[in-house]
Amino acid sequence: MKKIIHMSDLHIGYKDFKYRFMSIIHDLRSKVPSGPSQYIIVITGDLVNDANKKGSCGDALRGLNRLKRSGFKHILVVPGNHDYGTGNKGNKKFVASFKKTFYRSDLEYPKLDIINRIAFIGLDSMAEELHWYDDLWAQGELGKKQLDRLEEILNLKKVQRCNKRVVYLHHHPFKWRPLHQLKDAGKLKKVLTKAMQKGISIDAILFGHNHEGDAHNGTWGIPRCYDAGTATLKPRSKYVSWATWFKVQSSTRVIDLNQDPAKDYRVTYTYQEKLQEEP
Ligand SMILES: [Fe+2]
C-alpha cells in the first residue's frame, strides 16, 4: 500500500516562500526511502498566502508540477482560507479559480479519489465561509450540503470496498482557538462517527490551519488525527506574538496506514536547518 506525505500551509507569495517550497520539493525526493511513486502527497490548504496576489497560484501550481515531474504522481489538495482571499476576507470568485488551477475541473466537494484501495475524501472547509459577515475572522464551515454528500460518499460501495479511508480538510476540527474554529465540527463528528458505528473505518483525518503541527490521535475514535503545521514555517502575526503558548511548527509527516501510528514520522527540510543556524 502506498504511503502518504501530509503537508500544509505553504503560504506561497509570502516573502521568499516560493523558494522555501522549491527547497521542500528538492528535499522530499531524497527524504523518502521507497521512491516517489510509492507516496501520495496530501496538502491541506493555504497553498498561497493571498489569492489576490498575482502570480502566487501560478507559483504554487508550478511547484506541484515540479513535484509530479520528480515522480510524485499523486498530489491531492484542498483549499484553505488564504486560497480564497486574504485569509480573513474571502471572495467567491476564487472558488472557481482554485478548482480550475488545481483540479482542471468544476467538481463538487467532497472530492473523492480512490488510489490503491485508499479512499481520499477532501472537504472544502471554506464552503460556507464566504458571506459578507464572515469577513472578520478565519473560521471554517463545511455546510449541510457538503456534510450530506460526505455521508452519501461514505456509504458508496466503492468507498466501503476500500481498505482505508482518509478525510482531509483545512480547518482544525478539534482544537478550539479563538476565531479560527470549524463551526460545524460537531456535525462532521456526527457523520464520521455514524459511519464508524456501521463498520466503515475512518483511518485518518488530516488538516492544517492553526500552524501548530500537533498530533491528536484517537480523537473521535480516529487513529490518526494530524495537523501538519506549516511546511514553510509561516510565522504568526505580530499582533498575537505575545501568546507564548502558541508554537509554529513544520510537521510534514510520512504516514504508513499499514503500520502503527507510532511509526509515522516528520520530515525536516534543509531550509529549516539553515534557519536554525542563523544568529
Ligand atoms: Fe495557514
Side-chain angles (χ1 to χ4, degrees):
M1 183 181 281
K2 288 188 192 294
K3 299 176 190 73
I4 299 167
I5 297 173
H6 173 213
M7 67 170 78
S8 200
D9 294 71
L10 307 172
H11 288 273
I12 292 165
Y14 178 81
K15 292 190 174 173
D16 65 345
F17 282 16
K18 172 180 156 181
Y19 300 105
R20 284 197 189 179
F21 188 41
M22 290 300 145
S23 170
I24 287 169
I25 292 166
H26 182 262
D27 284 355
L28 271 183
R29 210 187 152 124
S30 61
K31 298 212 172 182
V32 288
S34 329
S37 63
Q38 294 306 306
Y39 295 86
I40 298 154
I41 296 179
V42 177
I43 306 177
T44 47
D46 282 1
L47 280 84
V48 301
N49 191 56
D50 184 349
N52 299 287
K53 190 175 171 184
K54 266 198 166 166
S56 297
C57 277
D59 286 338
L61 184 65
R62 270 187 288 281
L64 300 189
N65 287 339
R66 188 180 280 207
L67 270 171
K68 280 186 186 161
R69 283 198 303 275
S70 66
F72 293 99
K73 208 170 104 200
H74 299 291
I75 304 175
L76 306 174
V77 303
V78 280
N81 47 319
H82 286 261
D83 297 310
Y84 285 170
T86 61
N88 294 332
K89 191 172 171 47
N91 188 322
K92 283 182 183 168
K93 73 177 181 184
F94 293 122
V95 177
S97 64
F98 186 91
K99 288 179 186 173
K100 198 175 162 196
T101 306
F102 297 106
Y103 309 142
R104 288 193 193 160
S105 93
D106 186 23
L107 56 82
E108 219 181 320
Y109 295 99
K111 179 180 187 290
L112 173 66
D113 294 270
I114 296 177
I115 306 167
N116 283 65
R117 304 203 73 171
I118 310 173
F120 289 89
I121 304 167
L123 305 174
D124 177 6
S125 57
M126 288 295 292
E128 288 299 326
E129 203 53 34
L130 292 168
H131 312 102
W132 62 267
Y133 49 81
D134 295 314
D135 279 358
L136 287 176
W137 303 297
Q139 301 186 111
E141 190 171 5
L142 298 159
K144 186 179 182 310
K145 193 177 157 203
Q146 190 174 191
L147 285 164
D148 287 348
R149 274 207 53 176
L150 172 63
E151 194 166 353
E152 284 168 25
I153 284 173
L154 287 168
N155 284 316
L156 291 175
K157 285 236 156 41
K158 62 179 178 182
V159 171
Q160 295 192 8
R161 275 198 296 264
C162 286
N163 295 331
K164 306 280 180 186
R165 280 152 288 274
V166 174
V167 174
Y168 63 106
L169 71 163
H170 180 62
H171 283 77
H172 201 306
F174 318 122
K175 199 172 170 188
W176 185 83
R177 218 181 107 200
L179 312 177
H180 279 72
Q181 56 268 57
L182 182 69
K183 290 178 194 165
D184 44 4
K187 289 175 185 162
L188 174 64
K189 180 185 177 184
K190 223 173 174 178
V191 172
L192 299 182
T193 308
K194 195 171 160 190
M196 288 188 283
Q197 282 166 350
K198 283 199 270 183
I200 306 161
S201 68
I202 306 296
D203 301 279
I205 182 162
L206 309 177
F207 44 89
H209 190 50
N210 282 4
H211 296 195
E212 290 175 83
D214 295 329
H216 302 263
N217 292 355
T219 312
W220 298 354
I222 302 171
R224 284 173 167 91
C225 308
Y226 288 139
D227 166 3
T230 159
T232 46
L233 280 174
K234 163 93 190 288
R236 308 177 59 207
S237 145
K238 59 184 177 187
Y239 303 109
V240 285
S241 54
W242 50 267
T244 50
W245 45 264
F246 182 94
K247 198 169 70 181
V248 168
Q249 290 190 90
S250 168
S251 299
T252 296
R253 287 184 181 84
V254 178
I255 301 164
D256 184 346
L257 293 174
N258 273 345
Q259 300 273 357
D260 189 277
K263 296 204 169 160
D264 298 340
Y265 62 92
R266 294 187 205 197
V267 173
T268 307
Y269 302 117
T270 312
Y271 80 84
Q272 284 174 261
E273 288 154 10
K274 280 185 191 150
L275 288 176
Q276 279 173 11
E277 281 168 19
E278 283 173 11

Short mmCIF file of all heavy atoms in Angstrom, two decimals, residues 6-11 17 20 24 44-45 172 175 177 207-216 225-236 244-253 265-269 271-272 275-276:
data_model
loop_
_atom_site.label_atom_id
_atom_site.label_comp_id
_atom_site.label_asym_id
_atom_site.label_seq_id
_atom_site.Cartn_x
_atom_site.Cartn_y
_atom_site.Cartn_z
N HIS A 6 1.88 14.07 4.27
CA HIS A 6 0.90 15.12 4.57
C HIS A 6 1.63 16.41 4.91
O HIS A 6 2.45 16.46 5.83
CB HIS A 6 0.03 14.68 5.77
CG HIS A 6 -0.89 15.75 6.27
ND1 HIS A 6 -1.24 15.89 7.59
CD2 HIS A 6 -1.54 16.75 5.62
CE1 HIS A 6 -2.06 16.91 7.73
NE2 HIS A 6 -2.26 17.46 6.55
N MET A 7 1.33 17.45 4.14
CA MET A 7 1.89 18.77 4.45
C MET A 7 0.78 19.82 4.35
O MET A 7 -0.31 19.54 3.84
CB MET A 7 3.06 19.11 3.53
CG MET A 7 2.69 19.29 2.09
SD MET A 7 4.05 19.95 1.11
CE MET A 7 5.04 18.50 0.89
N SER A 8 1.06 21.00 4.85
CA SER A 8 0.01 22.02 4.86
C SER A 8 0.60 23.43 4.89
O SER A 8 1.79 23.61 5.15
CB SER A 8 -0.87 21.81 6.11
OG SER A 8 -2.12 22.45 5.92
N ASP A 9 -0.25 24.38 4.60
CA ASP A 9 0.02 25.80 4.83
C ASP A 9 1.38 26.27 4.27
O ASP A 9 2.26 26.69 5.03
CB ASP A 9 -0.13 26.10 6.34
CG ASP A 9 -1.57 25.95 6.79
OD1 ASP A 9 -2.05 24.79 6.85
OD2 ASP A 9 -2.23 26.97 7.04
N LEU A 10 1.48 26.23 2.96
CA LEU A 10 2.72 26.63 2.28
C LEU A 10 2.85 28.16 2.22
O LEU A 10 3.93 28.71 2.24
CB LEU A 10 2.74 26.06 0.86
CG LEU A 10 2.52 24.55 0.74
CD1 LEU A 10 2.37 24.16 -0.73
CD2 LEU A 10 3.65 23.79 1.38
N HIS A 11 1.70 28.83 2.07
CA HIS A 11 1.66 30.30 2.03
C HIS A 11 2.61 30.88 0.97
O HIS A 11 3.32 31.86 1.22
CB HIS A 11 1.93 30.90 3.41
CG HIS A 11 0.79 30.70 4.35
ND1 HIS A 11 -0.28 31.57 4.43
CD2 HIS A 11 0.52 29.69 5.22
CE1 HIS A 11 -1.15 31.11 5.32
NE2 HIS A 11 -0.69 29.97 5.82
N PHE A 17 8.79 32.61 0.29
CA PHE A 17 8.30 31.23 0.50
C PHE A 17 8.21 30.41 -0.78
O PHE A 17 8.19 29.19 -0.73
CB PHE A 17 6.95 31.26 1.22
CG PHE A 17 7.08 31.50 2.70
CD1 PHE A 17 8.25 32.00 3.24
CD2 PHE A 17 6.03 31.22 3.55
CE1 PHE A 17 8.39 32.23 4.60
CE2 PHE A 17 6.15 31.44 4.92
CZ PHE A 17 7.33 31.94 5.44
N ARG A 20 11.29 28.65 -0.50
CA ARG A 20 11.23 27.61 0.54
C ARG A 20 10.51 26.38 -0.01
O ARG A 20 10.90 25.25 0.28
CB ARG A 20 10.49 28.12 1.78
CG ARG A 20 11.31 29.05 2.61
CD ARG A 20 10.74 29.23 4.00
NE ARG A 20 11.45 30.30 4.68
CZ ARG A 20 11.19 30.72 5.89
NH1 ARG A 20 10.21 30.15 6.59
NH2 ARG A 20 11.88 31.69 6.45
N ILE A 24 11.75 22.54 -0.35
CA ILE A 24 10.96 21.38 0.11
C ILE A 24 10.88 20.33 -0.99
O ILE A 24 11.08 19.14 -0.76
CB ILE A 24 9.54 21.86 0.53
CG1 ILE A 24 9.61 22.61 1.86
CG2 ILE A 24 8.55 20.69 0.61
CD1 ILE A 24 8.33 23.34 2.23
N THR A 44 -3.11 20.16 2.82
CA THR A 44 -4.39 20.58 3.40
C THR A 44 -4.54 22.11 3.48
O THR A 44 -4.80 22.67 4.54
CB THR A 44 -4.60 19.93 4.78
OG1 THR A 44 -3.41 20.06 5.56
CG2 THR A 44 -4.95 18.47 4.68
N GLY A 45 -4.40 22.74 2.34
CA GLY A 45 -4.82 24.14 2.23
C GLY A 45 -3.79 25.20 2.55
O GLY A 45 -2.69 24.92 3.01
N HIS A 172 -8.89 23.05 11.47
CA HIS A 172 -8.70 22.11 12.57
C HIS A 172 -10.06 21.70 13.14
O HIS A 172 -10.81 22.55 13.61
CB HIS A 172 -7.89 22.82 13.66
CG HIS A 172 -7.19 21.90 14.59
ND1 HIS A 172 -7.84 20.91 15.28
CD2 HIS A 172 -5.89 21.83 14.96
CE1 HIS A 172 -6.95 20.27 16.02
NE2 HIS A 172 -5.76 20.81 15.85
N LYS A 175 -9.36 21.28 17.89
CA LYS A 175 -8.76 22.16 18.89
C LYS A 175 -9.32 23.57 18.77
O LYS A 175 -9.15 24.23 17.74
CB LYS A 175 -7.24 22.17 18.74
CG LYS A 175 -6.56 22.66 19.99
CD LYS A 175 -5.07 22.48 19.89
CE LYS A 175 -4.39 23.20 21.03
NZ LYS A 175 -2.95 23.21 20.86
N ARG A 177 -9.57 27.36 19.02
CA ARG A 177 -8.71 28.54 19.09
C ARG A 177 -9.59 29.72 18.70
O ARG A 177 -10.35 29.62 17.75
CB ARG A 177 -7.57 28.40 18.07
CG ARG A 177 -6.26 28.94 18.59
CD ARG A 177 -5.19 28.79 17.54
NE ARG A 177 -4.88 30.09 16.98
CZ ARG A 177 -4.29 30.26 15.82
NH1 ARG A 177 -3.97 29.24 15.08
NH2 ARG A 177 -4.03 31.46 15.39
N PHE A 207 -5.35 17.70 8.53
CA PHE A 207 -5.76 19.11 8.46
C PHE A 207 -4.55 20.03 8.72
O PHE A 207 -3.44 19.56 8.95
CB PHE A 207 -6.89 19.39 9.47
CG PHE A 207 -6.65 18.79 10.82
CD1 PHE A 207 -5.96 19.47 11.81
CD2 PHE A 207 -7.09 17.50 11.10
CE1 PHE A 207 -5.73 18.90 13.05
CE2 PHE A 207 -6.86 16.91 12.34
CZ PHE A 207 -6.18 17.61 13.32
N GLY A 208 -4.81 21.33 8.71
CA GLY A 208 -3.74 22.32 8.95
C GLY A 208 -4.33 23.52 9.67
O GLY A 208 -4.95 23.38 10.71
N HIS A 209 -4.15 24.71 9.10
CA HIS A 209 -4.75 25.96 9.53
C HIS A 209 -4.13 26.61 10.77
O HIS A 209 -3.80 27.78 10.74
CB HIS A 209 -6.25 25.79 9.75
CG HIS A 209 -6.99 27.09 9.97
ND1 HIS A 209 -6.83 28.18 9.15
CD2 HIS A 209 -7.87 27.48 10.93
CE1 HIS A 209 -7.60 29.18 9.58
NE2 HIS A 209 -8.22 28.79 10.67
N ASN A 210 -4.00 25.86 11.86
CA ASN A 210 -3.51 26.50 13.09
C ASN A 210 -1.99 26.67 13.13
O ASN A 210 -1.48 27.34 14.01
CB ASN A 210 -3.94 25.68 14.32
CG ASN A 210 -5.39 25.93 14.67
OD1 ASN A 210 -6.08 26.66 13.95
ND2 ASN A 210 -5.86 25.35 15.75
N HIS A 211 -1.29 26.03 12.21
CA HIS A 211 0.18 26.10 12.11
C HIS A 211 0.88 25.49 13.31
O HIS A 211 2.06 25.71 13.51
CB HIS A 211 0.67 27.55 11.92
CG HIS A 211 0.23 28.19 10.63
ND1 HIS A 211 0.78 29.34 10.12
CD2 HIS A 211 -0.72 27.81 9.74
CE1 HIS A 211 0.20 29.65 8.98
NE2 HIS A 211 -0.73 28.74 8.73
N GLU A 212 0.17 24.74 14.12
CA GLU A 212 0.78 24.20 15.34
C GLU A 212 1.44 22.84 15.13
O GLU A 212 2.40 22.50 15.81
CB GLU A 212 -0.27 24.09 16.44
CG GLU A 212 -0.69 25.45 16.96
CD GLU A 212 -1.82 25.36 17.96
OE1 GLU A 212 -1.54 25.11 19.13
OE2 GLU A 212 -2.98 25.54 17.57
N GLY A 213 0.87 22.05 14.25
CA GLY A 213 1.53 20.81 13.85
C GLY A 213 1.45 19.64 14.80
O GLY A 213 2.23 18.70 14.69
N ASP A 214 0.51 19.67 15.73
CA ASP A 214 0.45 18.57 16.71
C ASP A 214 -0.40 17.40 16.21
O ASP A 214 -1.25 17.55 15.35
CB ASP A 214 -0.16 19.08 18.02
CG ASP A 214 0.74 20.11 18.69
OD1 ASP A 214 1.97 20.00 18.52
OD2 ASP A 214 0.21 21.03 19.35
N ALA A 215 -0.16 16.25 16.83
CA ALA A 215 -0.98 15.07 16.57
C ALA A 215 -2.06 14.98 17.64
O ALA A 215 -1.82 15.33 18.80
CB ALA A 215 -0.11 13.82 16.58
N HIS A 216 -3.25 14.54 17.25
CA HIS A 216 -4.37 14.40 18.20
C HIS A 216 -4.96 13.00 18.06
O HIS A 216 -6.18 12.83 18.06
CB HIS A 216 -5.43 15.47 17.92
CG HIS A 216 -4.91 16.86 17.99
ND1 HIS A 216 -5.03 17.65 19.10
CD2 HIS A 216 -4.23 17.60 17.08
CE1 HIS A 216 -4.45 18.83 18.87
NE2 HIS A 216 -3.97 18.83 17.65
N CYS A 225 -4.97 11.56 13.67
CA CYS A 225 -5.55 12.90 13.55
C CYS A 225 -4.38 13.87 13.52
O CYS A 225 -3.82 14.19 14.57
CB CYS A 225 -6.45 13.22 14.74
SG CYS A 225 -7.70 11.97 15.06
N TYR A 226 -4.01 14.31 12.32
CA TYR A 226 -2.77 15.07 12.20
C TYR A 226 -2.99 16.50 11.70
O TYR A 226 -3.64 16.71 10.67
CB TYR A 226 -1.81 14.38 11.23
CG TYR A 226 -1.19 13.11 11.75
CD1 TYR A 226 -1.04 12.00 10.92
CD2 TYR A 226 -0.72 13.02 13.05
CE1 TYR A 226 -0.45 10.83 11.37
CE2 TYR A 226 -0.13 11.86 13.53
CZ TYR A 226 0.01 10.77 12.68
OH TYR A 226 0.60 9.61 13.13
N ASP A 227 -2.37 17.43 12.42
CA ASP A 227 -2.23 18.81 11.98
C ASP A 227 -0.81 18.89 11.41
O ASP A 227 0.16 18.62 12.13
CB ASP A 227 -2.41 19.72 13.20
CG ASP A 227 -1.97 21.16 12.97
OD1 ASP A 227 -1.56 21.50 11.85
OD2 ASP A 227 -2.00 21.95 13.94
N ALA A 228 -0.68 19.25 10.15
CA ALA A 228 0.66 19.27 9.52
C ALA A 228 1.41 20.57 9.78
O ALA A 228 2.51 20.76 9.27
CB ALA A 228 0.53 19.02 8.02
N GLY A 229 0.82 21.48 10.56
CA GLY A 229 1.51 22.75 10.82
C GLY A 229 1.67 23.54 9.53
O GLY A 229 0.81 23.53 8.66
N THR A 230 2.80 24.22 9.40
CA THR A 230 3.06 24.99 8.18
C THR A 230 4.42 24.57 7.64
O THR A 230 5.45 24.79 8.29
CB THR A 230 3.00 26.52 8.45
OG1 THR A 230 3.71 27.21 7.41
CG2 THR A 230 3.56 26.94 9.80
N ALA A 231 4.41 23.94 6.47
CA ALA A 231 5.64 23.37 5.91
C ALA A 231 6.72 24.42 5.74
O ALA A 231 7.91 24.14 5.87
CB ALA A 231 5.33 22.70 4.58
N THR A 232 6.31 25.65 5.43
CA THR A 232 7.28 26.72 5.18
C THR A 232 7.55 27.57 6.43
O THR A 232 8.25 28.58 6.34
CB THR A 232 6.75 27.65 4.07
OG1 THR A 232 5.37 27.93 4.37
CG2 THR A 232 6.85 27.01 2.70
N LEU A 233 6.98 27.16 7.55
CA LEU A 233 7.14 27.88 8.82
C LEU A 233 6.65 29.33 8.75
O LEU A 233 7.37 30.25 9.15
CB LEU A 233 8.59 27.83 9.29
CG LEU A 233 9.01 26.53 9.99
CD1 LEU A 233 10.50 26.53 10.28
CD2 LEU A 233 8.24 26.31 11.29
N LYS A 234 5.46 29.52 8.22
CA LYS A 234 4.88 30.88 8.19
C LYS A 234 4.72 31.38 9.63
O LYS A 234 4.06 30.74 10.44
CB LYS A 234 3.52 30.82 7.48
CG LYS A 234 2.62 32.03 7.71
CD LYS A 234 2.78 33.09 6.64
CE LYS A 234 2.08 34.39 6.96
NZ LYS A 234 0.64 34.37 6.88
N PRO A 235 5.32 32.51 9.97
CA PRO A 235 5.23 32.99 11.36
C PRO A 235 3.86 33.53 11.70
O PRO A 235 3.05 33.82 10.82
CB PRO A 235 6.29 34.09 11.41
CG PRO A 235 6.43 34.56 10.01
CD PRO A 235 6.08 33.41 9.10
N ARG A 236 3.62 33.70 12.95
CA ARG A 236 2.36 34.26 13.42
C ARG A 236 2.35 35.76 13.19
O ARG A 236 3.39 36.39 13.06
CB ARG A 236 2.19 33.99 14.91
CG ARG A 236 2.38 32.58 15.27
CD ARG A 236 2.28 32.44 16.76
NE ARG A 236 0.98 32.91 17.21
CZ ARG A 236 0.75 33.39 18.41
NH1 ARG A 236 1.71 33.48 19.27
NH2 ARG A 236 -0.45 33.78 18.75
N THR A 244 2.68 33.11 24.32
CA THR A 244 3.81 32.17 24.25
C THR A 244 3.38 30.71 24.15
O THR A 244 4.17 29.85 23.80
CB THR A 244 4.70 32.33 25.50
OG1 THR A 244 3.83 32.27 26.63
CG2 THR A 244 5.45 33.63 25.48
N TRP A 245 2.10 30.43 24.44
CA TRP A 245 1.64 29.05 24.40
C TRP A 245 1.48 28.52 22.99
O TRP A 245 1.36 27.34 22.75
CB TRP A 245 0.30 28.89 25.15
CG TRP A 245 -0.69 29.98 24.82
CD1 TRP A 245 -0.91 31.11 25.54
CD2 TRP A 245 -1.56 30.05 23.69
NE1 TRP A 245 -1.86 31.89 24.94
CE2 TRP A 245 -2.29 31.26 23.80
CE3 TRP A 245 -1.82 29.22 22.61
CZ2 TRP A 245 -3.24 31.65 22.86
CZ3 TRP A 245 -2.76 29.61 21.67
CH2 TRP A 245 -3.46 30.82 21.81
N PHE A 246 1.57 29.42 22.01
CA PHE A 246 1.34 29.00 20.62
C PHE A 246 2.67 28.84 19.90
O PHE A 246 3.45 29.78 19.80
CB PHE A 246 0.49 30.07 19.93
CG PHE A 246 0.15 29.74 18.51
CD1 PHE A 246 -1.02 29.09 18.19
CD2 PHE A 246 1.04 30.07 17.49
CE1 PHE A 246 -1.31 28.79 16.87
CE2 PHE A 246 0.76 29.77 16.17
CZ PHE A 246 -0.43 29.12 15.87
N LYS A 247 2.91 27.64 19.42
CA LYS A 247 4.19 27.37 18.78
C LYS A 247 3.96 26.98 17.30
O LYS A 247 3.18 26.08 17.02
CB LYS A 247 4.87 26.23 19.52
CG LYS A 247 6.37 26.13 19.25
CD LYS A 247 7.06 25.17 20.20
CE LYS A 247 6.65 23.77 19.88
NZ LYS A 247 7.17 22.71 20.68
N VAL A 248 4.62 27.68 16.39
CA VAL A 248 4.51 27.33 14.97
C VAL A 248 5.47 26.18 14.66
O VAL A 248 6.63 26.22 15.04
CB VAL A 248 4.88 28.57 14.10
CG1 VAL A 248 5.07 28.18 12.65
CG2 VAL A 248 3.80 29.63 14.21
N GLN A 249 4.95 25.17 13.99
CA GLN A 249 5.80 24.03 13.65
C GLN A 249 5.57 23.59 12.20
O GLN A 249 4.47 23.71 11.68
CB GLN A 249 5.43 22.81 14.51
CG GLN A 249 5.82 22.94 15.97
CD GLN A 249 5.64 21.61 16.68
OE1 GLN A 249 6.54 20.80 16.74
NE2 GLN A 249 4.45 21.37 17.21
N SER A 250 6.63 23.09 11.63
CA SER A 250 6.53 22.43 10.33
C SER A 250 6.42 20.94 10.61
O SER A 250 7.36 20.36 11.12
CB SER A 250 7.78 22.75 9.51
OG SER A 250 7.83 21.91 8.38
N SER A 251 5.26 20.36 10.35
CA SER A 251 5.06 18.94 10.71
C SER A 251 4.61 18.11 9.51
O SER A 251 3.58 17.45 9.56
CB SER A 251 4.02 18.82 11.83
OG SER A 251 4.43 19.49 12.98
N THR A 252 5.39 18.16 8.46
CA THR A 252 5.12 17.26 7.33
C THR A 252 5.38 15.85 7.81
O THR A 252 6.45 15.55 8.32
CB THR A 252 6.07 17.59 6.15
OG1 THR A 252 5.78 18.91 5.69
CG2 THR A 252 5.88 16.59 5.01
N ARG A 253 4.36 15.00 7.68
CA ARG A 253 4.51 13.62 8.19
C ARG A 253 4.46 12.60 7.06
O ARG A 253 3.71 12.77 6.10
CB ARG A 253 3.40 13.29 9.18
CG ARG A 253 3.54 13.98 10.52
CD ARG A 253 2.45 13.53 11.48
NE ARG A 253 2.58 14.22 12.77
CZ ARG A 253 2.09 15.44 13.02
NH1 ARG A 253 1.42 16.08 12.10
NH2 ARG A 253 2.26 16.00 14.22
N TYR A 265 6.40 9.45 10.84
CA TYR A 265 7.49 10.35 11.25
C TYR A 265 7.43 11.68 10.51
O TYR A 265 6.77 11.80 9.48
CB TYR A 265 8.86 9.67 11.06
CG TYR A 265 9.18 9.31 9.63
CD1 TYR A 265 9.88 10.18 8.80
CD2 TYR A 265 8.79 8.07 9.09
CE1 TYR A 265 10.19 9.84 7.49
CE2 TYR A 265 9.09 7.73 7.79
CZ TYR A 265 9.78 8.62 6.98
OH TYR A 265 10.07 8.28 5.68
N ARG A 266 8.12 12.67 11.08
CA ARG A 266 8.16 14.01 10.49
C ARG A 266 9.41 14.20 9.64
O ARG A 266 10.46 13.66 9.97
CB ARG A 266 8.20 15.08 11.59
CG ARG A 266 6.95 15.13 12.42
CD ARG A 266 7.03 16.32 13.35
NE ARG A 266 6.20 16.10 14.52
CZ ARG A 266 5.82 17.05 15.34
NH1 ARG A 266 6.19 18.29 15.13
NH2 ARG A 266 5.07 16.78 16.39
N VAL A 267 9.27 14.99 8.60
CA VAL A 267 10.39 15.30 7.70
C VAL A 267 10.94 16.68 8.09
O VAL A 267 10.19 17.60 8.35
CB VAL A 267 9.88 15.35 6.23
CG1 VAL A 267 10.96 15.84 5.30
CG2 VAL A 267 9.35 14.00 5.80
N THR A 268 12.26 16.78 8.14
CA THR A 268 12.89 18.09 8.36
C THR A 268 13.49 18.55 7.03
O THR A 268 14.16 17.78 6.35
CB THR A 268 14.02 18.00 9.41
OG1 THR A 268 13.47 17.38 10.56
CG2 THR A 268 14.54 19.37 9.78
N TYR A 269 13.23 19.79 6.68
CA TYR A 269 13.72 20.31 5.41
C TYR A 269 15.04 21.07 5.58
O TYR A 269 15.32 21.60 6.65
CB TYR A 269 12.68 21.26 4.80
CG TYR A 269 11.33 20.62 4.58
CD1 TYR A 269 10.20 21.08 5.25
CD2 TYR A 269 11.18 19.57 3.68
CE1 TYR A 269 8.97 20.50 5.04
CE2 TYR A 269 9.95 18.98 3.47
CZ TYR A 269 8.84 19.45 4.15
OH TYR A 269 7.61 18.88 3.95
N TYR A 271 15.91 24.01 4.49
CA TYR A 271 15.79 25.43 4.84
C TYR A 271 15.60 25.60 6.36
O TYR A 271 16.04 26.58 6.93
CB TYR A 271 14.65 26.12 4.07
CG TYR A 271 13.28 25.87 4.65
CD1 TYR A 271 12.80 26.63 5.70
CD2 TYR A 271 12.51 24.83 4.17
CE1 TYR A 271 11.56 26.37 6.26
CE2 TYR A 271 11.28 24.56 4.72
CZ TYR A 271 10.81 25.34 5.77
OH TYR A 271 9.60 25.06 6.33
N GLN A 272 14.96 24.62 7.02
CA GLN A 272 14.78 24.70 8.47
C GLN A 272 16.14 24.63 9.17
O GLN A 272 16.39 25.35 10.13
CB GLN A 272 13.95 23.52 8.98
CG GLN A 272 12.47 23.65 8.69
CD GLN A 272 11.73 22.39 9.09
OE1 GLN A 272 11.44 21.55 8.26
NE2 GLN A 272 11.42 22.26 10.36
N LEU A 275 17.71 27.92 8.84
CA LEU A 275 17.10 28.91 9.74
C LEU A 275 17.65 28.77 11.15
O LEU A 275 17.89 29.75 11.85
CB LEU A 275 15.57 28.73 9.78
CG LEU A 275 14.77 29.15 8.56
CD1 LEU A 275 13.30 28.82 8.74
CD2 LEU A 275 14.93 30.62 8.26
N GLN A 276 17.87 27.53 11.57
CA GLN A 276 18.40 27.29 12.91
C GLN A 276 19.83 27.81 13.06
O GLN A 276 20.24 28.18 14.14
CB GLN A 276 18.34 25.79 13.23
CG GLN A 276 16.96 25.37 13.67
CD GLN A 276 16.82 23.88 13.82
OE1 GLN A 276 17.80 23.15 13.78
NE2 GLN A 276 15.60 23.42 13.98
#
